[in-house]
Amino acid sequence: MSPVYINSASCISAQDTLNENILQNLKPENSSRMLKAIDPNYKEFIPPAMIRRMSKTVKMSAVASHYALQEAGISKPDAIIVGTGMGCSQDSEKFLKNVIDNEEEFLTPTFFIQSTHNTVAGQIALGLQCHAYNFTYVNTSSSLEFSFLDAQLQINDGEAENVLAGSTDEQTARTMELYCLNNTIKKETDLPVDYLTSTTDGVIWGEGASFFVLGKDKTAGSYAKLKNIQISNRVDINEVIIFIQDYLTKNDLSAQDIDAVILGFSGDAKSDVYYTKAMEIFPDSAALYYKHLSGEFNTASGFSTFMACHILKEQQIPEVMMINDVKKEEIKTVLLYNHLAGSDHSLVLLEKA
């Protein structure tokens, strides 16, 4: 497939990513079990009567997509594609609670209707009065990558020129309780955590929404060129190096051509070994990590893509993200490697626009 351009990028996260000077104001967090996204003033974007009926993931996505379209100078995209791991879990929990409390009788359908995973893409389309291609991908930690692949296909096939693609996931009380019970989330006794040298299992859980406008043509404000994506559900620890090297070969690159590699170190000792192994391939590249800024969640790769876009555009790497001390005079190529608990491995190749 031909490359496409990322012409705008917007993110709501545990960092103040809606304001300027993003790379200079990043604050790591390693002492909380859960990181909440910083809420913008939703009343500036959504009528108060609608806000009450919206779950957090819908609100975050509505605002992030608004900023992405505004930055790209587009009122209506040719397609809306959203990736999510958990969907509108807040409304799902409310519906299930009603089922139990009312003993499966006299149920109102509202929470059920709003609990479906495609609610986010649908609400964005309703707000824009956009009747174009509308699709949602639910593929755990590779949901955004599948959305990008679809967007790339839409553009390459001439079905669209500008596509709004993004990812979103929210925290909900009951789900977080369950994640604590099954040790997906770290125990209090394991905090604070050193993300790079952790010896305990579990992660600090986050949330957020990231949206991008992908286009066929480069614009004055383009962040990056999206070259290629590869996804594999399972990769054995002994196959990591081959997995990455084969991907580089397919793209006519060597490890020396990668100026920066962004790895998804989450503080989970069991699954972070994949990233430690991957670092062996890139001794001459700037090695970066990011989940101490965003937390781990299904679509955390949206935050890393957002950061990679800013790194390529602004040509600077925040000290707080650096694993090694390799510094390049110019950052032309960035490779993103992510997975969730050892499954759904993704590689995303971005180049300077």
Side-chain angles (χ1 to χ4, degrees):
M1 281 193 293
S2 301
V4 296
Y5 290 92
I6 299 177
N7 293 330
S8 72
S10 176
C11 180
I12 292 175
S13 67
Q15 302 296 318
D16 196 6
T17 36
L18 285 181
N19 287 328
E20 295 179 356
N21 302 319
I22 293 157
L23 299 184
Q24 290 76 38
N25 296 315
L26 297 170
K27 297 175 182 175
E29 175 56 64
N30 64 356
S31 300
S32 301
R33 298 177 83 187
M34 285 161 263
L35 299 184
K36 293 279 188 184
I38 297 171
D39 288 318
N41 185 359
Y42 291 119
K43 291 178 183 177
E44 292 180 8
F45 306 93
I46 308 165
M50 292 179 67
I51 289 175
R52 291 195 300 272
R53 297 196 298 271
M54 285 183 171
S55 64
K56 187 171 184 178
T57 194
V58 174
K59 290 187 288 188
M60 290 191 298
S61 301
V63 175
S65 61
H66 168 84
Y67 274 111
L69 290 168
Q70 186 181 59
E71 185 181 18
I74 293 167
S75 55
K76 284 186 186 180
D78 301 315
I80 297 171
I81 307 172
V82 176
T84 180
M86 299 292 288
C88 301
S89 47
Q90 190 179 94
D91 287 310
S92 299
E93 287 186 8
K94 287 178 181 176
F95 175 71
L96 292 170
K97 188 175 186 300
N98 279 351
V99 171
I100 295 165
D101 292 347
N102 295 317
E103 297 181 343
E104 302 182 23
E105 295 180 343
F106 314 116
L107 299 172
T108 56
T110 310
F111 292 133
F112 176 73
I113 294 165
Q114 293 177 178
S115 71
T116 59
H117 289 68
N118 59 357
T119 298
V120 174
Q123 288 285 357
I124 293 170
L126 282 170
L128 296 171
Q129 290 296 293
C130 177
H131 304 285
Y133 178 87
N134 192 292
F135 212 86
T136 299
Y137 285 90
V138 186
N139 300 82
T140 59
S141 64
S142 52
S143 299
L144 176 65
E145 288 77 5
F146 274 105
S147 300
F148 276 171
L149 275 173
D150 192 357
Q152 206 171 358
L153 280 167
Q154 294 292 322
I155 293 167
N156 280 194
D157 290 347
E159 298 290 333
E161 286 193 7
N162 294 288
V163 177
L164 176 68
S167 62
T168 181
D169 274 300
E170 65 186 355
Q171 290 178 8
T172 50
R174 183 59 181 154
T175 303
M176 294 305 102
E177 285 176 15
L178 295 171
Y179 279 0
C180 289
L181 284 171
N182 72 359
N183 297 324
T184 295
I185 293 174
K186 280 196 182 294
K187 299 173 184 175
E188 288 282 0
T189 52
D190 294 333
L191 300 176
V193 59
D194 185 329
Y195 280 77
L196 300 176
T197 59
S198 173
T199 55
T200 58
D201 295 339
V203 301
I204 289 174
W205 202 260
E207 62 179 357
S210 304
F211 277 80
F212 311 85
V213 171
L214 275 57
K216 181 177 72 172
D217 301 317
K218 180 181 175 181
T219 66
S222 291
Y223 282 83
K225 184 193 289 185
L226 176 61
K227 289 280 287 182
N228 200 298
I229 297 169
Q230 184 162 320
I231 301 160
S232 180
N233 177 247
R234 295 285 175 189
V235 176
D236 189 81
I237 187 64
N238 299 318
E239 300 169 342
V240 173
I241 291 176
I242 297 169
F243 173 62
I244 296 172
Q245 285 178 336
D246 284 352
Y247 175 75
L248 294 174
T249 302
K250 285 177 189 174
N251 289 282
D252 299 318
L253 295 170
S254 67
Q256 288 71 37
D257 296 317
I258 303 298
D259 298 312
V261 55
I262 303 181
L263 304 163
F265 279 100
S266 64
D268 177 42
K270 192 184 294 179
S271 61
D272 279 350
V273 291
Y274 286 95
Y275 301 124
T276 306
K277 196 77 175 171
M279 282 181 64
E280 295 175 13
I281 311 170
F282 302 102
D284 302 318
S285 306
L288 315 177
Y289 70 126
Y290 64 94
K291 285 176 183 170
H292 59 313
L293 305 170
S294 67
E296 172 72 288
F297 55 103
N298 283 274
T299 49
S301 60
F303 181 83
S304 69
T305 307
F306 176 79
M307 295 307 299
C309 286
H310 277 273
I311 287 168
L312 283 165
K313 190 172 184 178
E314 298 177 33
Q315 287 294 296
Q316 57 175 298
I317 295 173
E319 293 280 344
V320 73
M321 291 180 69
M322 293 176 67
I323 299 173
N324 58 16
D325 55 4
V326 175
K327 292 185 179 179
K328 300 281 185 173
E329 289 184 14
E330 186 179 10
I331 306 159
K332 295 179 181 177
T333 309
V334 176
L335 178 68
L336 287 73
Y337 174 35
N338 186 58
H339 64 73
L340 180 65
S343 298
D344 298 301
H345 298 251
S346 64
L347 294 168
V348 178
L349 183 64
L350 298 179
E351 284 187 358
K352 185 180 175 184

